[in-house]
Each structure stands twice: as C-alpha cells, then as structure tokens.
Amino acid sequence: MKLPEEIARRKTFAIISHPDAGKTTLTEKFLLFGGAIQTAGAVKNNKIRKGATSDFMEIERQRGISVATSVMGFEYNGKRVNILDTPGHKDFAEDTFRTLTAVDSVILVVDSVKGVEEQTRKLMEVCRMRSTPVIIFVNKMDREGKDPFELLDELEKELTINLRPLTWPISQGKSFQGVYNIYREELNLFEADKIGIAGRKAHIPDLEDKSLYEYIDREFAEKLKEDKELLDTVYEDFDKNLYLDGLLAPVFFGSAINNFGVKELLETFLEIAPSPLPRPAKPREVEPAEKEMTGFIFKIHANLDPNHRDRIAFLRICSGRFERNKFYYHARLGKKLRFTNPTTFMANEKTLTEEAWPGDVVGLFDNGNLKIGDTLTTGETIQYKGIPSFSPEIFREVLNQDPFKTKQLDKGIRQLSEEGVAQLFIQQPGNRKIIGTVGELQFDVIQFRLLHEYGAKCGYRHLNYFKALWITCDNQQELDRFIHRKTSNIAWDKENKPVFLADTQWALKSAKEMFPSIAFHTTSDHKMELPSVV
Ligand code: G4P
C-alpha cells in the first residue's frame, strides 16, 4: 500500500485517567472490539496492585507486563489502531507525559462519581501544552454520580477546555436508561451486559417524535427533551477543527464495565481523531508523507533479565517507511545503526516486523546507543522537539555504600536515568549525584535495580528541595553571577544545563526578585512550560 493511505488509516492514541476511573477496562473493551484479545481480563493486571506485595516487587512485576502492553495495536473497520499504554500509578507520571509526546490524540476517562481528580488535571495540562486533541469519556454512569450539567461545568472550569457533549445520559445509577447520541441522532438504551455489546438502538432525529415514549418512560423522555434544549442553547455545534486544534473536547457518557457507549466512542473516535500529523523538529517541520523515514525514541525498557544488558527502545515513526535491516542515521551520535529484529505489537503479542509506517511504534533492541529523545533518520540531521524533562518533586543524594563498585554505580545510575526512571543532577564540588523523581516508589526501584542489575549498593540522603528549575539568561555574565552566588543550590542536568534547586517556594520568589533577568523554567525545554507547577 502507498504511504498516504497507510498514514490516513492510522490512529495512534493513549487512554489516560486518574487511577481507578476505568482506563484499563476501557482499553480492554476496545481490544475486544478489535478482536485483539478474546477474553476480558487480559489487560487487567497491568496496574499496580494495592497492598498485594511490597511496592517495588509489584513494580518489577508491572514492568514485565508493561513491555507487552506498551503498544496495543489492532485493526478495526479498515483502520490500524495503536493504543499506547501509560502507567496508571502517579509516581510514573513522567513516563506518561513522555508517552503523550508519541500520540496524535487522547481519550481522557473521568469517573462520573468522582469528577476531576488530581491526575486528570495534570494530564490535561500536558495535553494542552502540546495542543493534543482530547475526547472525554465520562465513565461509570451505572453509578449514582454527579449531575451531568454540573460535571460538565466542573470539567470545563478545572480542565480549562471548551466542551461539546456528543452523547447525553438519560438518568444514571440504578435508573440509568442509556444515552441519546446527539452526533448520530440515535437513542441507545442501556442494558447491563459485561460480555456482549450492550444496548438496543433507535434512530430518533427529532426528540418530539412520539416514538421516543416507546423506548423510555415519559418522565425520562421529558427530562431528555429539556436537557437537549438546554444543551443546544449552551453549547455550539460540534466543530471538528476546534477539536483537532485541541481547543474543544467532545464528551461521551457510558459505562466501560458494561460495554455501554464504548462502541460509539470507538467509532466516533476513528471518524474524527487525527491520523499522524506533521511534527515540529529542528531545523524544520516534518510531514508524515515524506518518503524518508524519521522517528524518535520516547521510551526505553531495560531487559528484565539482569544477565543481558540489552534494552528495548520504542521508536515512534513520524514519516516515511521504516524497514528492517536498513541502516538508519542516529543524529546525536552521528553514526549509522541497523536493526535486525525490530518488533511491532498486536495487543499482547510481539512480532518481528519487516516494515512500519508513520504512527506506528517499533520496539528496537539496543545495547546502549539509544536514549529517550533520540531521533533516527535516513541521513538528514533532524532533532524532534518536545520531549522535555519535567521538574521533579522529590530529591535525594545517592550515597555509594560499596567503594569497590563505584564504576558500576555510576554506570547504573546513568543508564537508569537514560531509561527515564529518574532524573540525575550532578552537583559540584565532589560530583555529588542527586536524583529527582515525581514519586517515592522510584527510589526503591533504583536501589533494587542497581543492586540486582549492576551489583552496586546505594543509600540515600534526603534533600528537602522544593523544585528543580532550569535557568537561562540572555546575558551570560549575569547567569554566571547567579550560578556563583547560589553555588550550593546549583546542579547540572544530563545535558549539562544548569538547574536551580530551590529550597522553598519563598527562596524561589526571592531569587526571582534578586535576579530579574534570569528565567526559571519548569521543564528542560523552556518553550514547553507546565503553567501550574510553580
Ligand atoms: P484504571 O485502569 O483507570 O485504574 O481503572 P480500572 O479499569 O481498573 O477500573 C477501576 C475499577 O472501576 C474496577 O473495579 C472496574 O471494574 C471499575 N469500573 C470500570 N468501569 C466501570 C463502570 O462503568 N461502572 C462501574 N460501576 N465500575 C466500573 P475494581 O473493583 O477496582 O476492580 P475489579 O475487581 O472489578 O477488577
């Protein structure tokens, strides 16, 4: 098939949510529709079980599963669907943020009872930062949740995005009747059904049509008509272009566990969601239909077998056709690399692939050449943008507990930070290693993996920094003056960029006042800020 057709039929996206809103359940239902899995429960265990085992053992278990579920690909109605998995646990938020750089759109799942939660807010910020098109699925309508109008208000306010409901619930909880599909002018009746595709359907373009009463009781019908009238006055008609620009989120209501509203969601998603788009890169934007292959690494997974050092790097193809055994140019190292065993993913199965297209994700076996953010091309020097490091929230100094294993410790920490497990900052004098993470769990993971994979024993010293902020200034002398003045709070990131480790919010404020020409950034790429972090 030709490149433009392959691009047009690809939809690469992520399902994201605050833990427990129903991301796994929805993913699984999509895979069942796509015939990629046969039984419910196949994706279920890809989440951190609460209280089952000690946390880091649980993470090791999860790490094993998540290699298999990193990309879940399937075919549906002639489309190639690639769902990129994101870890549910909040301590792995940064992993999720990085995965979001590799998708073309997202489906955000919200629990109808809980509404907007902490992770919902953060994930939406990352989507907004990148203008990613978002569809919202309000889940668990079979429970007594919030009033849908109030919920929409909350979503709009807290997520700072305009909304347009495309389906509308008729009651909820025990008396949930189903949804009216505004987009398809169809009544979709709810039947609790965990296995099949729930719901009878009736085409009712005009709600004044008496046939409505044949399907739902008068009280529900009247309420639906009232709601629909209100919706039509409050919300503009759905504008697909605003959605594609990331300015408007269509909203669907349903119940993932009951398979209700899921098929409509999937089919509308496939109809409106973007196929791979042009991507910004240095020094130029790249069109997916360009003949030459380009792509970037957004995730690295160490092999689970500690005796083998090889890793799987996940390459998102952005343009052209990727071919097995062909030499590709690694711009950062300036060298050519060839991949003899590239794999693609069909749900839980990894298969050797001969070729892949824009929007696809290919797993590349690597023994240390690839880092997160690296670009591969057929020869041109291009660097894909927009995979910044985010300011970590918890900091500890690494203490070497076995002087004979210093080399192993250095290597281990460097490799783990390349894999994105944590961020490494170096502080002078003395080459002090400071690790920054967004969650406590990573420290256990690092300690465990350093010992088991590198034979290096480490301890930690708690550091009470408030934030790590990347600093820049148009005037180099002024930057040097700041660095000199604040030496004990300055460290250097993996690219040797200076970072200010602020002790408190107050210390940051006073540093900003004292040095007004210094800019403090919450990400390593200061064109991509997370506005609410500081
Ligand atoms: P997550 O990946 O976002 O963390 O959520 P997950 O799909 O695991 O769902 C979290 C819980 O919510 C699960 O219950 C799941 O069965 C339930 N759930 C998902 N969709 C719906 C829905 O539409 N209605 C209702 N009432 N519940 C729903 P659990 O008890 O934690 O797990 P399990 O024992 O059911 O597996």
Side-chain angles (χ1 to χ4, degrees):
M1 212 185 270
K2 291 263 168 48
L3 184 57
E5 281 123 68
E6 288 292 354
I7 296 168
R9 72 184 203 95
R10 270 168 171 75
K11 305 281 176 182
T12 301
F13 72 109
I15 302 179
I16 52 177
S17 77
H18 187 90
D20 276 346
K23 176 180 84 85
T24 316
T25 313
L26 184 65
T27 308
E28 189 173 278
K29 301 295 176 189
F30 276 6
L31 295 180
L32 283 166
F33 281 126
I37 53 169
Q38 267 65 49
T39 51
V43 198
K44 251 294 164 239
N45 28 10
N46 179 26
K47 61 188 275 192
I48 305 216
R49 280 194 222 132
K50 291 162 212 130
T53 40
S54 79
D55 276 330
F56 64 84
M57 287 308 288
E58 188 54 26
I59 287 180
E60 280 299 292
R61 186 190 71 84
Q62 203 252 5
R63 208 157 62 87
I65 296 161
S66 68
V67 174
T69 61
S70 284
V71 190
M72 291 166 277
F74 63 91
E75 300 272 333
Y76 187 84
N77 285 353
K79 298 267 192 312
R80 166 77 196 196
V81 183
N82 292 317
I83 308 181
L84 271 50
D85 193 32
T86 57
H89 201 283
K90 73 169 174 35
D91 286 6
F92 292 87
E94 185 144 5
D95 210 14
T96 300
F97 298 161
R98 274 195 298 264
T99 298
L100 292 183
T101 63
V103 302
D104 298 310
S105 70
V106 307
I107 293 179
L108 175 67
V109 184
V110 175
D111 183 328
S112 72
V113 184
K114 298 200 175 127
V116 175
E117 297 173 86
E118 191 194 341
Q119 285 302 304
T120 330
R121 228 170 270 122
K122 283 198 178 156
L123 290 162
M124 189 63 208
E125 267 171 28
V126 177
C127 292
R128 224 186 3 258
M129 190 171 96
R130 306 179 48 81
S131 304
T132 308
V134 175
I135 292 181
I136 297 178
F137 181 69
V138 179
N139 190 28
K140 307 196 185 179
M141 290 309 295
D142 58 322
R143 292 213 179 145
E144 305 294 336
K146 300 190 178 196
D147 171 79
F149 279 107
E150 277 172 29
L151 186 62
L152 289 188
D153 273 354
E154 178 181 321
L155 289 169
E156 219 155 29
K157 245 184 242 132
E158 297 228 16
L159 304 180
T160 337
I161 184 149
N162 292 317
L163 302 177
R164 182 50 165 115
L166 292 188
T167 67
W168 190 252
I170 308 165
S171 192
Q172 57 182 267
K174 283 202 181 70
S175 64
F176 183 47
Q177 305 292 302
V179 295
Y180 182 68
N181 191 328
I182 303 167
Y183 191 62
R184 299 194 195 284
E185 300 178 324
E186 217 168 52
L187 188 68
N188 188 2
L189 295 167
F190 176 67
E191 286 157 22
D193 182 352
K194 291 195 163 60
I195 306 149
I197 300 161
R200 277 185 301 140
K201 281 189 189 155
H203 186 63
I204 306 182
D206 181 4
L207 290 180
E208 291 307 325
D209 191 329
K210 293 274 177 294
S211 65
L212 183 61
Y213 303 120
E214 289 170 24
Y215 297 99
I216 47 174
D217 286 350
R218 190 164 280 271
E219 75 174 293
F220 296 121
E222 295 309 322
K223 178 77 170 68
L224 171 63
K225 283 197 258 181
E226 218 177 274
D227 284 358
K228 172 80 171 35
E229 231 175 85
L230 189 58
L231 287 172
D232 290 343
T233 47
V234 176
Y235 295 99
E236 304 271 332
D237 281 350
F238 174 60
D239 181 338
K240 188 175 155 189
N241 290 328
L242 287 179
Y243 156 68
L244 292 175
D245 289 342
L247 298 171
L248 178 96
V251 183
F252 290 80
F253 292 82
S255 170
I257 193 89
N258 291 299
N259 222 342
F260 183 77
V262 175
K263 192 162 183 270
E264 292 72 19
L265 173 71
L266 177 61
E267 287 177 358
T268 314
F269 164 80
L270 292 177
E271 194 181 317
I272 65 173
S275 295
L277 297 167
R279 286 196 163 241
K282 261 189 234 160
R284 65 179 188 89
E285 191 174 82
V286 180
E287 293 281 337
E290 287 179 27
K291 203 172 136 274
E292 303 300 328
M293 197 299 293
T294 63
F296 66 89
I297 307 292
F298 65 95
K299 178 170 172 157
I300 289 187
H301 243 294
N303 199 309
L304 286 171
D305 179 354
N307 297 322
H308 294 95
R309 267 294 174 263
D310 59 344
R311 312 184 276 184
I312 301 180
F314 292 85
L315 176 76
R316 148 87 201 212
I317 317 270
C318 299
S319 69
R321 183 167 74 122
F322 174 91
E323 287 166 85
R324 179 178 165 225
N325 274 331
K326 190 170 167 170
F327 276 100
Y328 287 111
Y329 179 63
H330 184 305
R332 181 175 56 83
L333 299 179
K335 76 183 193 193
K336 295 226 158 187
L337 301 174
R338 192 163 64 135
F339 304 96
T340 45
N341 295 311
T343 50
T344 47
F345 307 82
M346 288 293 275
N348 291 347
E349 274 176 34
K350 272 196 312 205
T351 44
L352 184 74
T353 189
E354 295 296 331
E355 60 174 19
W357 304 93
D360 287 343
V361 171
V362 183
L364 304 174
F365 290 95
D366 165 58
N367 43 22
N369 283 315
L370 298 170
K371 273 210 285 198
I372 288 172
D374 280 351
T375 300
L376 294 180
T377 70
T378 46
E380 193 179 345
T381 302
I382 276 184
Q383 173 66 43
Y384 276 101
K385 293 197 280 188
I387 310 158
S389 301
F390 297 87
S391 178
E393 285 162 20
I394 309 169
F395 301 88
R396 285 186 197 162
E397 182 183 346
V398 179
L399 305 174
N400 184 0
Q401 292 186 331
D402 182 351
F404 296 109
K405 295 285 167 69
T406 306
K407 265 197 184 148
Q408 285 86 335
L409 183 80
D410 285 355
K411 184 174 174 196
I413 289 189
R414 191 173 40 78
Q415 292 201 342
L416 292 182
S417 74
E418 280 172 11
E419 218 183 281
V421 179
Q423 288 183 52
L424 176 66
F425 302 102
I426 304 289
Q427 198 169 41
Q428 302 300 353
N431 253 341
R432 294 200 315 150
K433 291 181 192 59
I434 295 175
I435 287 181
T437 68
V438 286
E440 293 281 350
L441 278 180
Q442 271 101 327
F443 291 105
D444 293 342
V445 174
I446 292 165
Q447 210 166 31
F448 178 83
R449 290 188 56 190
L450 281 174
L451 189 63
H452 288 86
E453 293 170 32
Y454 299 88
K457 215 169 163 189
C458 84
Y460 296 118
R461 187 165 73 89
H462 286 253
L463 300 170
N464 286 324
Y465 294 124
F466 156 69
K467 279 255 155 351
L469 295 138
W470 283 263
I471 44 175
T472 57
C473 185
D474 293 338
N475 178 343
Q476 184 62 39
Q477 269 182 347
E478 187 64 3
L479 188 64
D480 292 344
R481 195 168 76 87
F482 180 81
I483 290 171
H484 186 69
R485 258 306 268 289
K486 303 277 178 193
T487 309
S488 58
N489 287 78
I490 299 292
W492 305 85
D493 80 353
K494 58 178 189 288
E495 285 161 28
N496 220 14
K497 289 184 188 166
V499 174
F500 176 55
L501 300 168
D503 291 315
T504 59
Q505 188 148 20
W506 184 86
L508 174 61
K509 191 167 163 271
S510 97
K512 280 181 178 173
E513 280 164 9
M514 274 173 68
F515 291 85
S517 61
I518 304 274
F520 297 81
H521 309 283
T522 53
T523 65
S524 59
D525 177 350
H526 57 266
K527 281 177 218 80
M528 309 205 91
E529 296 288 322
L530 271 182
S532 67
V533 177
V534 185

